[in-house]
Structures are given as C-alpha cells and as structure tokens.
Amino acid sequence: MATYFRMTNQRRVILDYLKSTDSHPAAATVYKAVKGKLPQISFATVYRTLNFLKEQGMLLEIDAGQGYSRFDGNPTNHYHFICSSCNTVMDINAPVIEGIEQKLSKYVRGKVAGHRLNLIGICADCLNNRKR
C-alpha cells in the first residue's frame, strides 16, 4: 500500500538541494545551504526532514564512519567510495552487481532485501598531497 504525504516547501527545498549536489553533505551542511531560502528553518527541522525523506525512499543516508551521517539525493542503488583521509564521499559510476543479494543470502539467517556497498580508501587528491 502506497504512503501519501504532502510535499511541503521545506521538504522540496531540502530535496532539491540534495539532488543538485554530488558532495553527499552532512545535515549541518544541508542546513547551511537551505537557510538562505528558508531563513526561519531550524537545524532540528532539517534533521527531521532528512530522516522523513529517507524513510520515504527519496534519499539515501550514508554512514561514512565519521560519527555523523551524510546524505545522497540519488536514492537509486549505487556504490560509494569514502576517502579515509579527507572523508570525501564519491559516487562510483559502475554497474550495480546483479544478483548479489541472492548469491549472499545463503550466508544470512533471514531475508535479504537489498545491499549497499561502500569502498574505503584514499582519494587521488589525498594521494597526490602525500607525494608532495
């Protein structure tokens, strides 16, 4: 059964911002970015809205291992690379591994519904900076 909800102006502005960037911002960055268009918005409202939009399947929450979440306006299944030096999160433009859920489900006690894959390493910029 489909869930219907009202797309408020706050929700639209936050979602539009996330769809316009590939930087995978934290909630604090989203707050700073939308504050210009929504001067009365609070950080708590931005945080609640991000969680609501995530629950509706309209964005992804990424745990980049930094103690806070990052958000992605592209909710389709895709992969990320996380730099362990500068904490940048980048999309990996590679095809999604077909059938991985079925292949790995034999190792899981339960039902696999999907997967997320984050690769962790050092980005090219950080590698170049280390060489200097």
Side-chain angles (χ1 to χ4, degrees), residues 1-128:
M1 182 177 213
T3 302
Y4 296 98
F5 63 90
R6 195 167 145 247
M7 182 55 86
T8 64
N9 187 47
Q10 290 175 338
R11 291 173 181 166
R12 183 171 316 287
V13 168
I14 290 169
L15 190 58
D16 286 348
Y17 168 70
L18 285 170
K19 288 183 176 291
S20 74
T21 182
D22 61 359
S23 67
H24 307 87
T29 304
V30 175
Y31 170 69
K32 289 175 191 170
V34 301
K35 187 92 170 128
K37 289 186 178 181
L38 303 169
Q40 302 300 322
I41 199 165
S42 69
F43 178 75
T45 298
V46 169
Y47 197 78
R48 282 192 307 272
T49 302
L50 289 168
N51 283 316
F52 175 81
L53 293 171
K54 176 190 72 170
E55 289 169 2
Q56 299 304 313
M58 301 182 82
L59 58 85
L60 295 177
E61 182 176 15
I62 303 165
D63 178 358
Q66 303 153 346
Y68 56 89
S69 296
R70 307 280 288 272
F71 296 90
D72 189 343
N74 176 5
T76 62
N77 200 7
H78 64 284
Y79 305 126
H80 295 101
F81 175 82
I82 302 168
C83 178
S84 58
S85 181
C86 69
N87 300 321
T88 297
V89 178
M90 296 175 264
D91 290 327
I92 298 173
N93 295 318
V96 173
I97 301 168
E98 297 295 328
I100 192 170
E101 293 93 350
Q102 184 179 12
K103 291 174 186 172
L104 295 177
S105 66
K106 63 184 171 186
Y107 301 101
V108 177
R109 294 180 58 184
K111 180 172 175 39
V112 176
H115 74 280
R116 300 262 188 258
L117 176 65
N118 294 330
L119 300 178
I120 300 164
I122 300 175
C123 71
D125 289 341
C126 288
L127 284 173
N128 288 334

